[in-house]
Amino acid sequence: MADEIERKFLVVSDSWRASVTRSMKLEQGYLAQSGGVSVRVRVRDEAEAFLTLKSGGSGLVRAEYEYAIPVADARELLALCVPHIIAKRRHLVPAGEFTWEVDVFEGRHAGLVVAEIELDAADTVPDLPDWIGKEVTADPRYYNAVLAAL
Amino acid sequence: MADEIERKFLVVSDSWRASVTRSMKLEQGYLAQSGGVSVRVRVRDEAEAFLTLKSGGSGLVRAEYEYAIPVADARELLALCVPHIIAKRRHLVPAGEFTWEVDVFEGRHAGLVVAEIELDAADTVPDLPDWIGKEVTADPRYYNAVLAAL
């Protein structure tokens, strides 16, 4: 188990694109959510798959448990996910001492771009690049699990 | 993924105890259930742990996905389970061509004894030993996920 300390922001310009070091395709869905635990299935670049359990519905710090699983299992599990699958392209964008993950959503959420950073401590204050907009860490509308339900 | 074809019965006598070949302690809980998928954490003999996803709330045939996870993770995940943990002792009891799993519940469900067999096909008709009572395969009251909520 690792605690995950993550902050999430809207993205206000495309200038991050000049700094992308790596991009990957993510398809993910949520198998179940109750009691404050979400169970996510994710396929990365159609080549790797993970089952991820996160505790705590909201807030900055969540316990996270992640296990690699066979891609074939993940495909079957995605078919069980309710109600929708999220597809997005994730771009890694180093800026200062952090690497941002810029998620460009596809399909039903096309047009949404969100940037996340993982911090080593809840009181770490990151420098915000000029393409970063409003913080939405605590806004349930931007939880992937909520987006999957919209 | 494997389809699991399982039948479950009440147990009407103790005569199965003479045939036990192996016994193990099981502690398990349910992290989440929704959309017809249940997510189970199980620790076996305090030495091995598994995360198991099952599709389909009821019936004979369910898709099952099982992954070994670290026992330390499983202990933390059990603490997140809602609302209760099930503790039981499972005894393996060969009879004819099948091996029965006789589950003797402990804790809040002490007194309950249930026997299960896994079949290779939904139309296989097993011989029923004389200690087997009423079939409860389709009775939600005997689902472990339901017992965990009682």
Side-chain angles (χ1 to χ4, degrees):
Chain A
M1 193 271 286
D3 278 342
E4 181 183 57
I5 306 167
E6 213 168 54
R7 292 179 68 183
K8 187 185 290 189
F9 299 80
L10 298 182
V11 170
V12 293
S13 86
D14 261 358
S15 59
W16 55 270
R17 290 194 179 269
S19 308
V20 170
T21 55
R22 189 183 156 205
S23 298
M24 64 198 82
K25 175 182 172 186
L26 300 179
E27 295 160 274
Q28 64 193 47
Y30 293 83
L31 277 164
Q33 293 184 74
S34 62
V37 177
S38 70
V39 181
R40 185 185 73 200
V41 185
R42 174 183 276 177
V43 177
R44 187 159 70 196
D45 284 336
E46 301 180 24
E48 292 176 292
F50 303 91
L51 193 62
T52 306
L53 288 70
K54 294 191 189 193
S55 73
S58 65
L60 199 59
V61 186
R62 308 178 69 185
E64 179 177 305
Y65 305 80
E66 187 159 79
Y67 308 106
I69 64 172
V71 173
D73 283 15
R75 289 264 167 235
E76 293 178 7
L77 289 168
L78 281 176
L80 298 174
C81 285
V82 281
H84 302 299
I85 303 301
I86 286 179
K88 57 187 180 183
R89 190 133 199 109
R90 170 164 290 179
H91 305 274
L92 302 188
V93 183
E97 59 180 318
F98 296 101
T99 294
W100 292 79
E101 295 173 342
V102 180
D103 286 354
V104 178
F105 286 75
E106 301 174 352
R108 56 194 302 118
H109 298 297
L112 177 62
V113 182
V114 163
E116 292 182 357
I117 33 170
E118 202 162 321
L119 303 173
D120 49 1
D123 59 358
T124 300
V125 179
D127 282 336
L128 302 182
D130 59 10
W131 44 268
I132 287 291
K134 186 182 147 203
E135 177 157 17
V136 295
T137 304
D139 188 335
R141 290 175 298 173
Y142 296 99
Y143 296 173
N144 280 272
V146 171
L147 291 170
L150 294 178
Chain B
M1 193 270 287
D3 278 342
E4 182 183 56
I5 305 168
E6 215 168 51
R7 292 179 67 183
K8 189 185 288 189
F9 299 80
L10 297 182
V11 170
V12 294
S13 87
D14 260 357
S15 59
W16 55 271
R17 288 193 180 272
S19 308
V20 171
T21 54
R22 188 180 157 208
S23 296
M24 62 198 84
K25 175 181 171 186
L26 299 179
E27 297 159 274
Q28 65 193 48
Y30 293 83
L31 277 165
Q33 294 183 75
S34 62
V37 176
S38 71
V39 181
R40 185 185 74 197
V41 184
R42 174 183 275 178
V43 177
R44 187 159 70 196
D45 284 336
E46 301 180 23
E48 290 175 293
F50 303 91
L51 193 61
T52 307
L53 287 71
K54 295 191 191 192
S55 73
S58 64
L60 197 60
V61 185
R62 308 177 69 183
E64 180 177 304
Y65 305 81
E66 187 158 80
Y67 309 105
I69 64 171
V71 173
D73 283 14
R75 288 265 168 236
E76 293 178 7
L77 289 168
L78 281 176
L80 298 175
C81 285
V82 281
H84 302 300
I85 302 300
I86 286 179
K88 58 188 180 182
R89 191 134 198 106
R90 169 165 291 180
H91 305 274
L92 302 189
V93 183
E97 58 181 319
F98 295 101
T99 294
W100 292 78
E101 296 173 341
V102 180
D103 285 355
V104 179
F105 286 76
E106 301 175 352
R108 56 195 301 120
H109 297 297
L112 177 61
V113 182
V114 164
E116 290 180 358
I117 33 168
E118 201 161 322
L119 303 173
D120 49 2
D123 58 357
T124 300
V125 179
D127 281 336
L128 302 183
D130 59 11
W131 44 268
I132 286 292
K134 184 183 147 203
E135 178 158 16
V136 294
T137 304
D139 188 335
R141 290 175 299 173
Y142 296 99
Y143 296 174
N144 280 272
V146 171
L147 291 169
L150 294 178

Short mmCIF file of all heavy atoms in Angstrom, two decimals, chain A residues 45-101:
data_model
loop_
_atom_site.label_atom_id
_atom_site.label_comp_id
_atom_site.label_asym_id
_atom_site.label_seq_id
_atom_site.Cartn_x
_atom_site.Cartn_y
_atom_site.Cartn_z
N ASP A 45 -1.77 1.46 -23.05
CA ASP A 45 -1.19 1.20 -24.37
C ASP A 45 -1.50 -0.20 -24.89
O ASP A 45 -0.68 -0.80 -25.61
CB ASP A 45 0.34 1.43 -24.35
CG ASP A 45 0.68 2.92 -24.35
OD1 ASP A 45 -0.16 3.71 -24.81
OD2 ASP A 45 1.79 3.26 -23.90
N GLU A 46 -2.66 -0.71 -24.51
CA GLU A 46 -3.12 -2.03 -24.96
C GLU A 46 -2.13 -3.13 -24.65
O GLU A 46 -2.17 -4.22 -25.24
CB GLU A 46 -3.45 -2.00 -26.46
CG GLU A 46 -4.53 -0.97 -26.76
CD GLU A 46 -4.93 -0.87 -28.23
OE1 GLU A 46 -4.75 -1.86 -28.95
OE2 GLU A 46 -5.44 0.20 -28.63
N ALA A 47 -1.20 -2.89 -23.72
CA ALA A 47 -0.11 -3.84 -23.48
C ALA A 47 0.04 -4.23 -22.01
O ALA A 47 0.59 -5.29 -21.70
CB ALA A 47 1.21 -3.24 -23.96
N GLU A 48 -0.41 -3.38 -21.11
CA GLU A 48 -0.28 -3.66 -19.68
C GLU A 48 -1.61 -3.36 -19.03
O GLU A 48 -2.34 -2.47 -19.48
CB GLU A 48 0.74 -2.72 -19.04
CG GLU A 48 2.17 -2.92 -19.45
CD GLU A 48 3.04 -1.85 -18.80
OE1 GLU A 48 2.90 -0.67 -19.17
OE2 GLU A 48 3.81 -2.21 -17.90
N ALA A 49 -1.91 -4.07 -17.94
CA ALA A 49 -3.18 -3.81 -17.26
C ALA A 49 -3.00 -3.87 -15.75
O ALA A 49 -2.12 -4.57 -15.24
CB ALA A 49 -4.23 -4.81 -17.71
N PHE A 50 -3.83 -3.11 -15.07
CA PHE A 50 -3.72 -2.98 -13.62
C PHE A 50 -5.10 -2.94 -12.99
O PHE A 50 -6.04 -2.36 -13.54
CB PHE A 50 -2.98 -1.68 -13.25
CG PHE A 50 -1.62 -1.59 -13.86
CD1 PHE A 50 -1.43 -0.99 -15.09
CD2 PHE A 50 -0.52 -2.15 -13.22
CE1 PHE A 50 -0.18 -0.94 -15.68
CE2 PHE A 50 0.74 -2.11 -13.79
CZ PHE A 50 0.91 -1.49 -15.03
N LEU A 51 -5.16 -3.54 -11.80
CA LEU A 51 -6.34 -3.42 -10.96
C LEU A 51 -5.92 -2.52 -9.80
O LEU A 51 -4.90 -2.78 -9.15
CB LEU A 51 -6.70 -4.81 -10.45
CG LEU A 51 -8.03 -5.04 -9.79
CD1 LEU A 51 -9.17 -4.74 -10.77
CD2 LEU A 51 -8.13 -6.49 -9.33
N THR A 52 -6.67 -1.46 -9.57
CA THR A 52 -6.26 -0.48 -8.56
C THR A 52 -7.41 -0.23 -7.60
O THR A 52 -8.52 0.09 -8.02
CB THR A 52 -5.84 0.84 -9.23
OG1 THR A 52 -4.84 0.56 -10.20
CG2 THR A 52 -5.28 1.81 -8.20
N LEU A 53 -7.14 -0.38 -6.32
CA LEU A 53 -8.13 -0.11 -5.28
C LEU A 53 -7.72 1.17 -4.58
O LEU A 53 -6.56 1.32 -4.18
CB LEU A 53 -8.18 -1.26 -4.27
CG LEU A 53 -8.82 -2.56 -4.77
CD1 LEU A 53 -7.96 -3.26 -5.79
CD2 LEU A 53 -9.11 -3.48 -3.60
N LYS A 54 -8.66 2.09 -4.44
CA LYS A 54 -8.38 3.33 -3.73
C LYS A 54 -9.41 3.51 -2.63
O LYS A 54 -10.61 3.34 -2.85
CB LYS A 54 -8.45 4.53 -4.67
CG LYS A 54 -7.37 4.54 -5.75
CD LYS A 54 -7.33 5.89 -6.46
CE LYS A 54 -6.42 5.82 -7.68
NZ LYS A 54 -6.13 7.16 -8.23
N SER A 55 -8.92 3.86 -1.47
CA SER A 55 -9.82 4.12 -0.35
C SER A 55 -10.09 5.61 -0.27
O SER A 55 -9.27 6.43 -0.68
CB SER A 55 -9.19 3.67 0.95
OG SER A 55 -8.16 4.56 1.30
N GLY A 56 -11.23 5.96 0.30
CA GLY A 56 -11.51 7.37 0.52
C GLY A 56 -12.05 7.99 -0.73
O GLY A 56 -11.40 8.01 -1.77
N GLY A 57 -13.26 8.52 -0.67
CA GLY A 57 -13.90 9.01 -1.87
C GLY A 57 -13.31 10.32 -2.35
O GLY A 57 -13.37 10.64 -3.52
N SER A 58 -12.72 11.09 -1.48
CA SER A 58 -12.34 12.43 -1.88
C SER A 58 -11.09 12.87 -1.15
O SER A 58 -10.52 12.14 -0.37
CB SER A 58 -13.47 13.40 -1.56
OG SER A 58 -13.63 13.46 -0.16
N GLY A 59 -10.66 14.08 -1.45
CA GLY A 59 -9.57 14.66 -0.70
C GLY A 59 -8.22 14.34 -1.30
O GLY A 59 -8.09 13.62 -2.27
N LEU A 60 -7.23 14.87 -0.67
CA LEU A 60 -5.87 14.89 -1.18
C LEU A 60 -5.17 13.55 -1.03
O LEU A 60 -4.44 13.11 -1.91
CB LEU A 60 -5.12 15.96 -0.37
CG LEU A 60 -3.84 16.55 -0.89
CD1 LEU A 60 -4.04 17.21 -2.24
CD2 LEU A 60 -3.33 17.58 0.12
N VAL A 61 -5.37 12.89 0.12
CA VAL A 61 -4.60 11.69 0.44
C VAL A 61 -5.51 10.47 0.40
O VAL A 61 -6.53 10.41 1.07
CB VAL A 61 -3.96 11.79 1.85
CG1 VAL A 61 -3.06 10.58 2.09
CG2 VAL A 61 -3.18 13.08 2.01
N ARG A 62 -5.16 9.49 -0.40
CA ARG A 62 -5.93 8.26 -0.48
C ARG A 62 -4.97 7.08 -0.41
O ARG A 62 -3.87 7.15 -0.95
CB ARG A 62 -6.70 8.18 -1.79
CG ARG A 62 -7.53 9.41 -2.08
CD ARG A 62 -8.24 9.32 -3.42
NE ARG A 62 -9.29 8.30 -3.38
CZ ARG A 62 -10.02 7.94 -4.43
NH1 ARG A 62 -9.78 8.48 -5.60
NH2 ARG A 62 -10.96 7.02 -4.32
N ALA A 63 -5.40 6.00 0.24
CA ALA A 63 -4.61 4.77 0.19
C ALA A 63 -4.84 4.13 -1.17
O ALA A 63 -5.96 4.09 -1.66
CB ALA A 63 -5.01 3.82 1.30
N GLU A 64 -3.76 3.66 -1.76
CA GLU A 64 -3.88 3.07 -3.10
C GLU A 64 -3.16 1.72 -3.15
O GLU A 64 -2.04 1.60 -2.64
CB GLU A 64 -3.26 4.03 -4.12
CG GLU A 64 -3.34 3.48 -5.54
CD GLU A 64 -2.80 4.46 -6.58
OE1 GLU A 64 -3.28 5.60 -6.64
OE2 GLU A 64 -1.90 4.05 -7.33
N TYR A 65 -3.82 0.75 -3.74
CA TYR A 65 -3.26 -0.59 -3.89
C TYR A 65 -3.36 -0.94 -5.36
O TYR A 65 -4.45 -0.93 -5.92
CB TYR A 65 -4.06 -1.61 -3.08
CG TYR A 65 -4.19 -1.26 -1.62
CD1 TYR A 65 -5.13 -0.33 -1.18
CD2 TYR A 65 -3.34 -1.84 -0.68
CE1 TYR A 65 -5.23 0.01 0.16
CE2 TYR A 65 -3.43 -1.50 0.66
CZ TYR A 65 -4.38 -0.58 1.07
OH TYR A 65 -4.46 -0.25 2.40
N GLU A 66 -2.22 -1.26 -5.96
CA GLU A 66 -2.26 -1.53 -7.41
C GLU A 66 -1.60 -2.86 -7.73
O GLU A 66 -0.52 -3.16 -7.22
CB GLU A 66 -1.56 -0.40 -8.17
CG GLU A 66 -1.71 -0.54 -9.68
CD GLU A 66 -1.50 0.78 -10.40
OE1 GLU A 66 -0.33 1.16 -10.58
OE2 GLU A 66 -2.49 1.41 -10.77
N TYR A 67 -2.27 -3.65 -8.58
CA TYR A 67 -1.77 -4.96 -8.95
C TYR A 67 -1.82 -5.13 -10.47
O TYR A 67 -2.84 -4.83 -11.09
CB TYR A 67 -2.61 -6.06 -8.28
CG TYR A 67 -2.75 -5.84 -6.79
CD1 TYR A 67 -3.94 -5.39 -6.24
CD2 TYR A 67 -1.65 -6.02 -5.95
CE1 TYR A 67 -4.04 -5.13 -4.87
CE2 TYR A 67 -1.74 -5.77 -4.59
CZ TYR A 67 -2.94 -5.32 -4.06
OH TYR A 67 -3.02 -5.06 -2.72
N ALA A 68 -0.72 -5.60 -11.04
CA ALA A 68 -0.72 -5.92 -12.47
C ALA A 68 -1.58 -7.16 -12.70
O ALA A 68 -1.53 -8.11 -11.91
CB ALA A 68 0.71 -6.17 -12.94
N ILE A 69 -2.38 -7.14 -13.75
CA ILE A 69 -3.19 -8.31 -14.10
C ILE A 69 -3.06 -8.56 -15.60
O ILE A 69 -2.62 -7.67 -16.34
CB ILE A 69 -4.69 -8.11 -13.72
CG1 ILE A 69 -5.32 -6.97 -14.53
CG2 ILE A 69 -4.84 -7.84 -12.23
CD1 ILE A 69 -6.83 -6.86 -14.35
N PRO A 70 -3.42 -9.75 -16.07
CA PRO A 70 -3.34 -10.02 -17.51
C PRO A 70 -4.25 -9.07 -18.31
O PRO A 70 -5.37 -8.78 -17.87
CB PRO A 70 -3.82 -11.47 -17.63
CG PRO A 70 -3.59 -12.07 -16.28
CD PRO A 70 -3.82 -10.95 -15.30
N VAL A 71 -3.77 -8.61 -19.45
CA VAL A 71 -4.56 -7.71 -20.29
C VAL A 71 -5.88 -8.37 -20.71
O VAL A 71 -6.92 -7.72 -20.76
CB VAL A 71 -3.75 -7.27 -21.53
CG1 VAL A 71 -4.62 -6.47 -22.51
CG2 VAL A 71 -2.55 -6.42 -21.10
N ALA A 72 -5.83 -9.68 -20.96
CA ALA A 72 -7.06 -10.37 -21.38
C ALA A 72 -8.11 -10.30 -20.27
O ALA A 72 -9.30 -10.09 -20.53
CB ALA A 72 -6.76 -11.82 -21.74
N ASP A 73 -7.69 -10.50 -19.02
CA ASP A 73 -8.62 -10.34 -17.89
C ASP A 73 -9.17 -8.92 -17.85
O ASP A 73 -10.37 -8.70 -17.67
CB ASP A 73 -7.90 -10.58 -16.54
CG ASP A 73 -7.65 -12.05 -16.24
OD1 ASP A 73 -7.77 -12.87 -17.17
OD2 ASP A 73 -7.32 -12.37 -15.09
N ALA A 74 -8.28 -7.95 -18.02
CA ALA A 74 -8.69 -6.54 -17.92
C ALA A 74 -9.74 -6.21 -18.98
O ALA A 74 -10.71 -5.50 -18.70
CB ALA A 74 -7.47 -5.63 -18.07
N ARG A 75 -9.57 -6.74 -20.18
CA ARG A 75 -10.56 -6.50 -21.25
C ARG A 75 -11.93 -7.05 -20.84
O ARG A 75 -12.96 -6.41 -21.06
CB ARG A 75 -10.12 -7.17 -22.55
CG ARG A 75 -8.94 -6.50 -23.19
CD ARG A 75 -9.40 -5.51 -24.29
NE ARG A 75 -8.31 -4.66 -24.68
CZ ARG A 75 -8.33 -3.32 -24.66
NH1 ARG A 75 -9.42 -2.67 -24.27
NH2 ARG A 75 -7.29 -2.62 -25.01
N GLU A 76 -11.93 -8.24 -20.27
CA GLU A 76 -13.21 -8.82 -19.82
C GLU A 76 -13.80 -8.00 -18.68
O GLU A 76 -15.00 -7.77 -18.61
CB GLU A 76 -13.01 -10.27 -19.38
CG GLU A 76 -12.65 -11.20 -20.53
CD GLU A 76 -12.40 -12.63 -20.09
OE1 GLU A 76 -12.64 -12.96 -18.90
OE2 GLU A 76 -11.97 -13.43 -20.94
N LEU A 77 -12.93 -7.56 -17.77
CA LEU A 77 -13.41 -6.77 -16.64
C LEU A 77 -13.94 -5.41 -17.10
O LEU A 77 -14.94 -4.91 -16.57
CB LEU A 77 -12.29 -6.60 -15.60
CG LEU A 77 -11.94 -7.89 -14.83
CD1 LEU A 77 -10.63 -7.72 -14.04
CD2 LEU A 77 -13.07 -8.28 -13.87
N LEU A 78 -13.28 -4.81 -18.09
CA LEU A 78 -13.79 -3.53 -18.62
C LEU A 78 -15.22 -3.69 -19.16
O LEU A 78 -16.04 -2.79 -19.04
CB LEU A 78 -12.87 -2.99 -19.73
CG LEU A 78 -11.59 -2.29 -19.27
CD1 LEU A 78 -10.74 -1.89 -20.48
CD2 LEU A 78 -11.89 -1.06 -18.41
N ALA A 79 -15.48 -4.87 -19.71
CA ALA A 79 -16.83 -5.11 -20.26
C ALA A 79 -17.87 -5.17 -19.14
O ALA A 79 -19.06 -5.01 -19.38
CB ALA A 79 -16.85 -6.39 -21.07
N LEU A 80 -17.42 -5.42 -17.92
CA LEU A 80 -18.34 -5.48 -16.77
C LEU A 80 -18.50 -4.12 -16.10
O LEU A 80 -19.32 -3.96 -15.20
CB LEU A 80 -17.82 -6.46 -15.71
CG LEU A 80 -17.67 -7.92 -16.12
CD1 LEU A 80 -17.00 -8.72 -15.00
CD2 LEU A 80 -19.05 -8.52 -16.43
N CYS A 81 -17.68 -3.15 -16.52
CA CYS A 81 -17.68 -1.86 -15.82
C CYS A 81 -18.95 -1.08 -16.10
O CYS A 81 -19.49 -1.13 -17.20
CB CYS A 81 -16.46 -1.03 -16.24
SG CYS A 81 -14.94 -1.63 -15.48
N VAL A 82 -19.38 -0.37 -15.08
CA VAL A 82 -20.62 0.39 -15.20
C VAL A 82 -20.36 1.85 -14.93
O VAL A 82 -19.63 2.18 -14.03
CB VAL A 82 -21.66 -0.13 -14.19
CG1 VAL A 82 -22.29 -1.39 -14.72
CG2 VAL A 82 -21.04 -0.33 -12.83
N PRO A 83 -21.07 2.71 -15.64
CA PRO A 83 -21.73 2.39 -16.90
C PRO A 83 -20.82 2.60 -18.11
O PRO A 83 -21.09 2.05 -19.16
CB PRO A 83 -22.91 3.36 -16.94
CG PRO A 83 -22.48 4.50 -16.10
CD PRO A 83 -21.41 4.04 -15.16
N HIS A 84 -19.75 3.41 -17.96
CA HIS A 84 -18.96 3.75 -19.15
C HIS A 84 -17.48 3.49 -18.92
O HIS A 84 -17.00 3.40 -17.80
CB HIS A 84 -19.13 5.23 -19.49
CG HIS A 84 -20.55 5.61 -19.74
ND1 HIS A 84 -21.29 5.04 -20.75
CD2 HIS A 84 -21.38 6.47 -19.10
CE1 HIS A 84 -22.51 5.54 -20.73
NE2 HIS A 84 -22.60 6.41 -19.74
N ILE A 85 -16.76 3.40 -20.03
CA ILE A 85 -15.30 3.31 -20.00
C ILE A 85 -14.75 4.69 -20.30
O ILE A 85 -15.28 5.41 -21.15
CB ILE A 85 -14.81 2.32 -21.08
CG1 ILE A 85 -15.45 0.95 -20.89
CG2 ILE A 85 -13.29 2.24 -21.09
CD1 ILE A 85 -15.15 0.33 -19.57
N ILE A 86 -13.71 5.07 -19.59
CA ILE A 86 -13.02 6.33 -19.88
C ILE A 86 -11.82 6.03 -20.77
O ILE A 86 -11.05 5.11 -20.49
CB ILE A 86 -12.54 7.00 -18.58
CG1 ILE A 86 -13.75 7.60 -17.86
CG2 ILE A 86 -11.47 8.06 -18.86
CD1 ILE A 86 -13.39 8.26 -16.56
N ALA A 87 -11.70 6.79 -21.84
CA ALA A 87 -10.52 6.69 -22.70
C ALA A 87 -9.84 8.05 -22.69
O ALA A 87 -10.49 9.08 -22.83
CB ALA A 87 -10.92 6.30 -24.13
N LYS A 88 -8.53 8.05 -22.47
CA LYS A 88 -7.82 9.32 -22.48
C LYS A 88 -6.38 9.08 -22.90
O LYS A 88 -5.89 7.95 -22.85
CB LYS A 88 -7.88 9.98 -21.09
CG LYS A 88 -7.33 9.15 -19.94
CD LYS A 88 -7.61 9.83 -18.59
CE LYS A 88 -7.06 9.00 -17.42
NZ LYS A 88 -7.37 9.59 -16.11
N ARG A 89 -5.73 10.14 -23.33
CA ARG A 89 -4.32 10.08 -23.66
C ARG A 89 -3.60 10.83 -22.55
O ARG A 89 -3.94 11.97 -22.24
CB ARG A 89 -4.08 10.69 -25.04
CG ARG A 89 -2.72 10.47 -25.53
CD ARG A 89 -2.71 9.96 -27.01
NE ARG A 89 -1.42 9.36 -27.20
CZ ARG A 89 -1.18 8.07 -27.33
NH1 ARG A 89 -2.17 7.22 -27.43
NH2 ARG A 89 0.05 7.62 -27.40
N ARG A 90 -2.66 10.17 -21.90
CA ARG A 90 -1.91 10.80 -20.81
C ARG A 90 -0.55 11.21 -21.31
O ARG A 90 0.19 10.41 -21.89
CB ARG A 90 -1.78 9.82 -19.64
CG ARG A 90 -0.81 10.30 -18.57
CD ARG A 90 -0.97 9.53 -17.28
NE ARG A 90 -2.25 9.87 -16.63
CZ ARG A 90 -2.67 9.33 -15.49
NH1 ARG A 90 -1.94 8.42 -14.87
NH2 ARG A 90 -3.83 9.72 -14.98
N HIS A 91 -0.20 12.47 -21.07
CA HIS A 91 1.10 13.01 -21.49
C HIS A 91 1.90 13.36 -20.24
O HIS A 91 1.39 14.02 -19.34
CB HIS A 91 0.90 14.27 -22.34
CG HIS A 91 0.01 14.05 -23.51
ND1 HIS A 91 0.47 13.58 -24.72
CD2 HIS A 91 -1.33 14.22 -23.67
CE1 HIS A 91 -0.54 13.48 -25.57
NE2 HIS A 91 -1.65 13.87 -24.96
N LEU A 92 3.15 12.91 -20.19
CA LEU A 92 4.02 13.26 -19.06
C LEU A 92 4.77 14.54 -19.41
O LEU A 92 5.41 14.63 -20.47
CB LEU A 92 5.00 12.12 -18.77
CG LEU A 92 4.33 10.76 -18.46
CD1 LEU A 92 5.38 9.75 -17.99
CD2 LEU A 92 3.21 10.90 -17.43
N VAL A 93 4.68 15.51 -18.50
CA VAL A 93 5.21 16.84 -18.77
C VAL A 93 6.05 17.30 -17.58
O VAL A 93 5.52 17.78 -16.58
CB VAL A 93 4.07 17.86 -19.01
CG1 VAL A 93 4.64 19.23 -19.36
CG2 VAL A 93 3.11 17.37 -20.09
N PRO A 94 7.39 17.15 -17.66
CA PRO A 94 8.23 17.63 -16.56
C PRO A 94 8.19 19.16 -16.49
O PRO A 94 8.17 19.83 -17.52
CB PRO A 94 9.65 17.16 -16.95
CG PRO A 94 9.45 16.16 -18.04
CD PRO A 94 8.17 16.53 -18.73
N ALA A 95 8.13 19.67 -15.25
CA ALA A 95 8.15 21.13 -15.04
C ALA A 95 8.71 21.35 -13.64
O ALA A 95 8.10 20.95 -12.66
CB ALA A 95 6.75 21.72 -15.16
N GLY A 96 9.91 21.97 -13.58
CA GLY A 96 10.54 22.12 -12.28
C GLY A 96 10.86 20.75 -11.70
O GLY A 96 11.32 19.85 -12.40
N GLU A 97 10.56 20.56 -10.42
CA GLU A 97 10.93 19.29 -9.77
C GLU A 97 9.86 18.21 -9.92
O GLU A 97 10.03 17.10 -9.45
CB GLU A 97 11.24 19.53 -8.30
CG GLU A 97 10.08 20.12 -7.52
CD GLU A 97 10.43 20.35 -6.04
OE1 GLU A 97 11.06 19.47 -5.45
OE2 GLU A 97 10.05 21.41 -5.51
N PHE A 98 8.73 18.55 -10.56
CA PHE A 98 7.65 17.57 -10.70
C PHE A 98 7.41 17.20 -12.16
O PHE A 98 7.76 17.95 -13.07
CB PHE A 98 6.34 18.12 -10.11
CG PHE A 98 6.43 18.36 -8.64
CD1 PHE A 98 6.63 19.64 -8.14
CD2 PHE A 98 6.35 17.29 -7.76
CE1 PHE A 98 6.74 19.86 -6.77
CE2 PHE A 98 6.45 17.50 -6.39
CZ PHE A 98 6.65 18.78 -5.89
N THR A 99 6.83 16.01 -12.34
CA THR A 99 6.35 15.64 -13.66
C THR A 99 4.83 15.63 -13.61
O THR A 99 4.23 14.90 -12.82
CB THR A 99 6.89 14.27 -14.08
OG1 THR A 99 8.30 14.37 -14.25
CG2 THR A 99 6.28 13.82 -15.39
N TRP A 100 4.23 16.48 -14.40
CA TRP A 100 2.78 16.54 -14.48
C TRP A 100 2.26 15.45 -15.40
O TRP A 100 2.92 15.07 -16.37
CB TRP A 100 2.34 17.92 -15.02
CG TRP A 100 2.62 19.04 -14.07
CD1 TRP A 100 3.82 19.65 -13.85
CD2 TRP A 100 1.68 19.67 -13.19
NE1 TRP A 100 3.69 20.61 -12.88
CE2 TRP A 100 2.38 20.65 -12.46
CE3 TRP A 100 0.31 19.50 -12.95
CZ2 TRP A 100 1.77 21.46 -11.51
CZ3 TRP A 100 -0.31 20.31 -12.00
CH2 TRP A 100 0.43 21.27 -11.29
N GLU A 101 1.09 14.97 -15.07
CA GLU A 101 0.36 14.07 -15.96
C GLU A 101 -0.80 14.88 -16.54
O GLU A 101 -1.71 15.28 -15.81
CB GLU A 101 -0.20 12.87 -15.19
CG GLU A 101 0.90 11.97 -14.62
CD GLU A 101 0.35 10.88 -13.72
OE1 GLU A 101 -0.81 11.00 -13.25
OE2 GLU A 101 1.09 9.91 -13.47
#
